[in-house]
Amino acid sequence: MENLSIYCPNLDEHLSVPPGATLYQVAQSYRNALGFEPVNARVNNLTVALDWRLRESCQVEFVGLTEESGRHTYLRSLCLLFAKALHDELPHYHLSVRHSLSGGYFSVVRCGDKGITDEQLALIKRRIDHLIAEDLPFERRTVPAEEAVQIFTAMGEMDKVDLITSSGQPYVTYHYLDGYPDNYYGSLLLSTGQVQLYDLVPYLGGVLIRVPSIVQPTELAPFEPQQPMREVFDKQSRLLTLLDVSYVGSLNKAISTGHFSEIVQVAEAAQEKEIAAIATEIAEAYNQKGVRIVLVAGPSSSGKTTFTKRLRLQLMANYLRPHQISLDNYFVAREFTPLDDNGEYDFEHIEALDLELFASDLRRLLAGELVDMPLFDFTQGARVYQKELLQLGEGDLLLIEGIHALNPRLIPEDLQPLTYNIYISALTALGLDAHNRIPSTDIRLLRRMVRDHNYRGYSAIDTISRWRSVRAGEKRWIFPYQNRANVLFNSALLYEVAVLKTLAEQILYQVPACVKEYSEARRLLRFLDHVRPAPINEIPSTSLLREFIGGSSFHY
């Protein structure tokens, strides 16, 4: 039988490969040429594990730890190791992997109300090290859903049972490590020996799972203290527990049994309570500390615009007159916009804003002058003036919103004591199950995709292709300044993934297999397969989610 012709973009050449060879065998044959250790691969733009056998000529792109996909594969494998070691050494304890935090992933290990001690955690790490040294295979098994339900019911893993039964899949593929079954929704490493670098450390009442840096995979990702963000996640976790919807399976059950409306009402009420509390604090700062500027910053699709509009109403209820200013109106003319490494316009760059003009207008406003405010015409790529006149008086307040609002370069140093800083992001505490977290970035990506398609004429390909650059800009220009905030607001809604599902799926299905964005589209579709759709008409017109799905009573 003739060899297969495999095109490898990593090497930009065609490889001659015998039929039936695994991706791992191919990677080992070209290890030196690749220059890195692959952890998964994309075959014709579909992400697969390295035990995939090649049966026909195709394109194969190997993925390492410098990509998010590779990082997820590594984390899933480490989580299975963690769960297996916990089962072996402390069988009555349960692991819950919650969310990314402080450069790692925050998890909770409990037996009833009892947490894990430092000595017990050291025992778990020794067991993990032993499993790594044995280089045991991560196996996959596909069984009828009824059999998988029996397996996980016997283990007491009802979060997995709920997900399997509510998603309606006839067969279930689960993972298996040395007699221990677990379920992960994506590729794993081939064996435990491939987990070369990790750490488990006690942190904020739980355990921080540390993995290699995406920038420098030979080192652990740097630790970044983020206790305020942990507190934000904890608030949502408490609501999820109260409503008994901590995982997608239980949310699915709530939707099918007619309890979705109550979840929406509680989630919306909780957000309005938070916004009202922030407005009250700002009013006190206005009266007691002379605050005149409220800054609202956050990453893409965090809901800054709607949050700012709702905050404006609450400030008016506190007898203040807020004037909303979007930093987008201070973009420099298109020809002066900085370029990124690929020669594309870098709208996330701080110098994409006319900082000098903004500072001048800000000073004039605070001095009580009448200022003609700019508007940015995105079609022309230039600022225009339409006699939008603004003058501040008693009780007036500036409400400034944009991704760079907390960057210290934006507000002149002598004016910074007059500011109240708000950081907003969509931090979801909902999990697929106890061992499978839902990345908050996935929720933001789905929000942006739906909005871009419905209101900006962009396809899913456009949004996905741009997302990596957006994320890079956030890491450079937004995340470093979140600790300057007086308050963190969580814009994630407990129920939103069930609403986004229907809208996002029809967009994602339009991505053809011949484009590189297909792998990300398929990953998101596999995730959404487990979620039951919820009715959009249950969502109030003032909801932050309406900014993305449409039907808002606010004007944008």
Side-chain angles (χ1 to χ4, degrees), residues 178-192:
D178 191 31
Y180 177 77
D182 206 349
N183 211 0
Y184 292 89
Y185 301 95
S187 63
L188 269 67
L189 301 172
L190 291 186
S191 67
T192 58

Side-chain angles (χ1 to χ4, degrees), residues 328-330 372-378 382-388:
D328 286 357
N329 288 324
Y330 282 89
D372 190 2
M373 303 300 292
L375 293 171
F376 194 83
D377 186 320
F378 285 89
R383 284 192 303 274
V384 295
Y385 289 87
Q386 299 178 347
K387 294 298 181 181
E388 293 285 341

